[in-house]
Structures are given as C-alpha cells and as structure tokens.
C-alpha cells in the first residue's frame, strides 16, 4: 500500500510517501480502505519526538490516528460491521495516513458527511465528548469553552449546544465570526476575560472546558467557582496543581456513534480549514504546526 511515513524523528522533511506493508486487523479490530485521514497536533508532536517519553513509536511510522473509509477486512470477534460499510474512527497513535488503516474504534459515517468531514471527526469528537461528559449535565447551563475555534473546541461547541447548553467560546478576534457560525457567543481570550464575560453571561458561567492549554486554567476555576466545575483536555500540568479533572481522548466506539448521531441530525458538522492530497503530507503537517487552525486539516488518500 501507499503510505506517508517517517523513518526518524524530526521535521516535516522526514515525511515521505512510499510503499509500506499492508496492516492486518487483530481481534476486535477492522481494516478500512482509507479515503481521508485527519491531521491532529499530536501527529506532528509524535513525529518530531517531543512526546516520545510517553508516546514512543516504532520507526518507520505512519502518521495519523483518525480516518474514514470502507471496511475491507474484519478481525476476530467483530460482528457489528460488514465488508464495504463506510465508517469513521480511530486506530493507534500512528497508522491512519495510508491506503489501508486498522481501526480499534469506529461508527457508521453519516451519509450527510463528506469523507473529509468524517475524517475530521474521530479524535476531535471523542475528546470533546469525553470532556463534556466529565462535566455532567449540560441542559440549561452556560458553558465556557477555552480554545473554541480549534478542532476539539469547535466539536465541543456544537455538541454542547446539541446537549442543551448556552456556549461561550474564547478565540482571537479574527475567529469570532467563525464561532458565531458554530452557535457560540464569542469572546476574546486572555487578561480581563472575567470582565468581558460579565456582559455576555450576567448570571454567571456554570461550567468550563479547556481545550487550549493556554495557561488560563486558574482563571477558569475562579470564573466558574471551583475546580470541580472545570475539565481540561489539554493542560495536564496545571490540572494536577489546581485539582482540575483531565479528560483524555479514548478510542471509544460509543462516543463515536454519539457524535455520528448528532451528525445525522445536522447538529454537528466537522469543520475543515484545508484539505491536502497524500503527496502533500509535509505541507499538511507544516500547516498544523503553525497553529490557529479553524477546525481541522485533512489529508485525502
């Protein structure tokens, strides 16, 4: 199969498109013929070696964790899908940006999602849902999402609204129109946030989800009135210091199915900033590394 790979840790110049061995699904896994794969910040952090102490990979490695495609092989013990089914989902830390990928968690891809949208949904949706579920009841409450314009933040905005919350999202001013299109009340992040929120939420903010790791966790705790009302999916260091819960992304087919259900209802549409062909994988990673991405970057296979 053709795949993007890197043979050593390093910059985008380590990425090549070449022939690689076809992967085989193990028990409880499936293999898909990939049509598109997502690009996430963790992909290039793994590739450049900055997280190798806790996310080591065997080299050469294929970047990418989430993808969409048609099932073409089914592992032992799997009965929930059939050959030819269109699914989106998650594999390991690596392996998605290739013609064939093994998934350990998946759900039917909504017919109203394009391949690019479905590829963008996997990691973002389980991360967002994990954080929202940790916060508990959403109906009738006001939720503040720090870093609402990114892939996880944007998914959290739409899903939280589907769950009945009023959502305020922080972002730079250039992203305010984008947040409005998602259904959030936009506010600029940084110093003075509490004062700016007073005008948007005169009755206060009930809950906060941190999807940015911007150093604002202590401010979020103060704004909502305690660490038990804040969850972060990004700031592990400050969370431990402040007693804030961390929601880590997990390969959970139930969460993927829930995200897909919101997609079928038109209440969650993964947003794409730019799509690249497989041959331009290095450009896709460079784009992600520059930061400030609205939604997700996707590679088509």
């Amino acid at each position: 199969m053709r795949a993007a790979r890197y043979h050593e840790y390093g910059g985008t110049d380590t990425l090549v498109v070449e022939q690689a061995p076809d992967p085989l699904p193990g028990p409880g896994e499936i293999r898909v013929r990939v049509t598109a794969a997502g690009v996430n910040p963790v992909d290039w952090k793994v590739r450049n070696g900055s997280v190798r102490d806790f996310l080591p990979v065997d080299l050469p490695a294929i970047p990418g964790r989430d993808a969409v495609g048609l099932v073409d092989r089914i592992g032992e013990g799997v009965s929930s899908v059939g050959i030819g089914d269109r699914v989106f989902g998650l594999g390991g830390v690596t392996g998605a940006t290739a013609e064939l990928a093994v998934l350990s968690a998946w759900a039917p891809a909504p017919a109203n999602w394009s391949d690019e949208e479905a590829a963008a949904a996997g990691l973002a949706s389980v991360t967002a849902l994990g954080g929202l579920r940790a916060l508990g009841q959403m109906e009738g409450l006001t939720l503040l999402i720090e870093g609402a314009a990114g892939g996880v933040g944007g998914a959290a905005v739409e899903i939280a609204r589907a769950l009945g919350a009023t959502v305020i999202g922080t972002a730079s001013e250039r992203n305010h129109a984008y947040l409005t299109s998602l259904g959030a009340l936009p506010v600029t992040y940084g110093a003075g946030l509490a004062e700016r929120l007073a005008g948007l939420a005169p009755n206060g903010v009930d809950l906060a989800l941190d999807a940015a790791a911007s150093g604002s966790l202590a401010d979020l705790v103060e704004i909502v009135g305690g660490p038990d009302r804040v969850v972060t999916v990004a700031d592990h260091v400050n969370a431990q210091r402040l007693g804030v819960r961390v929601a880590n992304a997990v390969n959970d087919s139930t969460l993927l199915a829930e995200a897909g259900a919101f997609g079928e209802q038109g209440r969650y549409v993964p947003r794409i900033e730019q799509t690249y062909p497989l041959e331009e994988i290095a450009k896709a990673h460079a784009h992600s590394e520059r930061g400030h991405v609205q939604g997700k970057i996707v590679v088509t296979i």
Side-chain angles (χ1 to χ4, degrees):
M1 67 172 184
R2 291 170 66 249
R5 292 208 294 183
Y6 50 97
H7 292 253
E8 60 184 356
Y9 291 119
T12 58
D13 58 335
T14 63
L15 290 163
V16 295
V17 177
E18 60 187 8
Q19 290 294 317
D22 293 355
L24 295 174
E29 297 177 333
I30 61 172
R31 188 175 75 182
V32 298
R33 190 161 293 279
V34 178
T35 50
V39 175
N40 301 286
V42 68
D43 299 341
W44 52 263
K45 291 175 183 177
V46 169
R47 187 211 69 231
N48 68 23
S50 61
V51 295
R52 76 177 79 180
D53 288 345
F54 58 93
L55 284 179
V57 296
D58 294 326
L59 298 172
I62 297 170
R65 183 171 171 182
D66 47 6
V68 61
L70 301 181
V71 177
D72 89 325
R73 194 154 183 161
I74 298 173
E76 181 183 349
V78 174
S79 58
S80 59
V81 294
I83 300 297
D85 287 355
R86 180 174 177 260
V87 300
F88 74 107
L90 297 159
V93 174
T94 59
T97 316
E99 289 180 327
L100 297 169
V102 170
L103 304 181
S104 59
W106 61 87
N112 54 327
W113 282 359
S114 68
D115 284 341
E116 291 81 4
E117 289 166 343
L123 189 57
S125 67
V126 299
T127 305
L129 272 165
L132 294 173
R133 290 307 182 198
L135 284 168
Q137 175 70 31
M138 292 276 130
E139 181 73 36
L141 300 181
T142 297
L143 169 69
L144 174 65
I145 298 177
E146 176 82 327
V152 173
V157 168
E158 291 197 281
I159 293 171
R161 289 190 69 247
L163 293 171
T166 296
V167 178
I168 300 173
T170 73
S172 61
E173 192 168 335
R174 72 180 184 88
N175 286 325
H176 282 194
Y178 174 68
L179 291 190
T180 300
S181 75
L182 295 178
L185 299 170
V187 64
T188 304
Y189 60 83
L193 176 60
E195 290 75 14
R196 292 190 293 278
L197 287 170
L200 286 175
N203 295 322
V205 175
D206 300 298
L207 303 167
L209 176 66
D210 169 39
S214 60
S216 65
L217 211 53
D219 293 334
L220 299 182
V221 169
E222 185 174 351
I223 286 166
V224 300
D228 58 316
R229 298 181 181 183
V230 182
V231 167
T232 182
V233 299
D235 193 347
H236 293 68
V237 173
N238 286 313
Q240 184 174 11
R241 177 174 61 86
L242 295 167
V244 168
R245 287 167 294 167
V246 175
N248 291 311
V250 292
N251 286 19
D252 188 328
S253 294
T254 302
L255 294 180
L256 291 169
E258 185 174 356
F262 287 130
E264 289 174 353
Q265 298 161 11
R267 302 166 85 182
Y268 167 44
V269 181
R271 309 302 172 109
I272 312 299
E273 177 165 289
Q274 192 160 336
T275 299
Y276 293 88
L278 177 62
E279 290 73 20
E280 295 183 0
I281 181 65
K283 290 183 180 179
H285 272 225
H287 187 159
S288 179
E289 287 188 57
R290 289 194 293 272
H292 307 292
V293 176
Q294 283 187 355
K296 289 287 292 290
I297 296 166
V298 169
V299 171
T300 55
I301 309 299

